[in-house]
Amino acid sequence: MKQLFKQLFSMQKYFIRLILPLMVMMVSSLFAVPAFATGVYQIPNLASDTWIVDQGEVISRFNEGQISGAFKELAQDTGNEVRIVTVHRLDYGETPESFAKGLFEKWFPTPEAQANQSLLVIDTVTNNAAIISGDQVKSTLTDSIAYSVAEETLGVPLRNGNKYNQAFVDVSDRLVAVISGQPDPGPPKVVETIQVEGTFTKAEDTDQGNATAWVVGLLIAATVIPMATYYIYQINQPSNEA
């Protein structure tokens, strides 16, 4: 009986060694450390040939070059300049509006420098965006159009599958048209679709739930079985009086 207890006790240690790494991996995935937040002070000073600062890494190189070319041509034709900044996570308490305002004032510290400038900022964690413009640009890019660009032209492709490249190309086309004095092409048309969702559990959810149940079950078994065996062993031992 003592030999059986020793075997069960060694099995318990074996199970713990086997399960512990799995538990650590699961906890690490659940409580992964978030990416560092971004503040205005972390954005570098503006260079004259910089039109896009893609810290969120959501725009392809091809589209970044295409959009930058369109903004450069707009600046040459009208004297009005547009920049896009993407960040993955904002500092605690910061909003796209406050961040855009702070960066706008950092890059263009005087009203004269701000007059012909526009800046679009998006936080890719929440997909919230804001546009700040100078007084000269607001004669064509009004507050209502700027809001529509941020909420609809940018927002619709993002709400339909995080299509960042399509969103920024559409934003570029609309901003260039409006700021250069052309008719506003307006936001994209939204086609409503009716989707019937099933009530079945997704395969990946089922697999994750089963894996968790197995891990917990094995951990409990590795602890309870040796204790129960030892308890039974003690009961079956002859008493001192006998």
Side-chain angles (χ1 to χ4, degrees), residues 44-84:
N45 293 329
L46 181 65
S48 58
D49 59 345
T50 298
W51 306 98
I52 297 177
V53 178
D54 185 23
Q55 291 199 349
E57 298 181 349
V58 291
I59 308 176
S60 69
R61 290 184 178 273
F62 175 80
N63 285 321
E64 185 172 341
Q66 182 180 354
I67 295 169
S68 296
F71 287 166
K72 182 177 180 179
E73 186 177 348
L74 174 68
Q76 292 171 346
D77 293 343
T78 67
N80 296 319
E81 301 180 354
V82 179
R83 266 96 182 174
I84 292 175

Side-chain angles (χ1 to χ4, degrees), residues 17-186:
R17 287 199 210 101
L18 179 66
I19 294 170
L20 188 58
L22 296 176
M23 297 293 291
V24 171
M25 291 174 62
M26 292 178 64
V27 172
S28 299
S29 63
L30 291 174
F31 301 99
V33 178
F36 290 111
T38 302
V40 172
Y41 57 91
Q42 293 173 302
I43 303 296
N45 293 329
L46 181 65
S48 58
D49 59 345
T50 298
W51 306 98
I52 297 177
V53 178
D54 185 23
Q55 291 199 349
E57 298 181 349
V58 291
I59 308 176
S60 69
R61 290 184 178 273
F62 175 80
N63 285 321
E64 185 172 341
Q66 182 180 354
I67 295 169
S68 296
F71 287 166
K72 182 177 180 179
E73 186 177 348
L74 174 68
Q76 292 171 346
D77 293 343
T78 67
N80 296 319
E81 301 180 354
V82 179
R83 266 96 182 174
I84 292 175
V85 175
T86 74
V87 295
H88 180 64
R89 187 184 300 275
L90 294 174
D91 276 344
Y92 178 77
E94 194 85 85
T95 65
E97 291 79 8
S98 63
F99 183 90
K101 183 178 179 182
L103 184 59
F104 195 71
E105 293 174 350
K106 174 185 175 180
W107 279 353
F108 316 108
T110 65
E112 293 76 19
Q114 297 172 2
N116 65 333
Q117 301 293 337
S118 294
L119 173 63
L120 184 152
V121 170
I122 179 172
D123 167 22
T124 60
V125 170
T126 63
N127 283 342
N128 291 330
I131 297 180
I132 303 292
S133 298
D135 294 336
Q136 179 176 316
V137 182
K138 286 185 178 181
S139 61
T140 53
L141 182 62
T142 62
D143 290 341
S144 60
I145 295 178
Y147 179 82
S148 175
V149 170
E151 291 296 318
E152 298 175 294
T153 308
L154 182 65
V156 169
L158 299 186
R159 288 190 288 270
N160 292 333
N162 285 339
K163 300 174 182 176
Y164 287 99
N165 285 285
Q166 177 187 337
F168 284 111
V169 169
D170 292 346
V171 164
S172 169
D173 292 342
R174 189 175 180 188
L175 288 176
V176 168
V178 170
I179 294 175
S180 61
Q182 301 174 22
D184 180 11

Side-chain angles (χ1 to χ4, degrees), residues 12 15-16 19-20 23 213-224:
Q12 180 190 27
F15 275 121
I16 291 176
I19 294 170
L20 188 58
M23 297 293 291
W214 272 104
V215 170
V216 174
L218 289 172
L219 188 60
I220 293 173
T223 304
V224 172

